[in-house]
Amino acid sequence: MKVEIDNRYIIESSTHDFVLYEKKVSQSGKTKGQIVLSRLGFFPKMHQLVRELITHDLKQSDIDTIKAMQERIESVAMQCERAFKGE
């Protein structure tokens, strides 16, 4: 399985685990200017991966209120749900 979330994250799975990647634009080297995948972690269970995805996304954002944080969490959760349903 390979699922893309918010055009920023990729989730891949094998028979034993799930892997979370973040898409980034390379800043140097042979791949400068190209999109590369940065592995954020391996997870034995999907709910652990989704929790890490939300935590990482929040840390990367400029959210400054609890309400904005709640809205962002709900947004990421909905994007995950749509991606897993194949929408």
Side-chain angles (χ1 to χ4, degrees):
M1 167 181 86
K2 184 174 182 177
V3 177
E4 187 168 335
I5 308 289
D6 192 27
N7 200 32
R8 287 185 53 206
Y9 302 101
I10 301 284
I11 297 170
E12 291 185 343
S13 67
S14 69
T15 56
H16 301 291
D17 60 6
F18 300 92
V19 185
L20 176 62
Y21 297 95
E22 181 177 21
K23 287 180 165 184
K24 294 183 175 186
V25 176
S26 178
Q27 300 298 315
S28 62
K30 289 182 178 181
T31 59
K32 184 176 181 176
Q34 296 178 11
I35 294 176
V36 294
L37 298 180
S38 173
R39 186 175 36 238
L40 298 177
F42 293 92
F43 305 89
K45 300 189 187 230
M46 179 59 77
H47 74 273
Q48 295 168 323
L49 180 145
V50 172
R51 185 180 317 137
E52 177 60 27
L53 187 155
I54 290 170
T55 300
H56 179 78
D57 190 76
L58 288 173
K59 287 179 181 178
Q60 300 299 315
S61 71
D62 58 353
I63 292 173
D64 58 356
T65 66
I66 297 294
K67 181 170 175 48
M69 182 185 296
Q70 177 184 0
E71 290 169 354
R72 184 63 190 160
I73 290 169
E74 289 173 2
S75 173
V76 171
M78 290 301 293
Q79 290 172 36
C80 288
E81 186 175 335
R82 283 193 301 270
F84 295 132
K85 286 182 178 178
E87 295 178 6

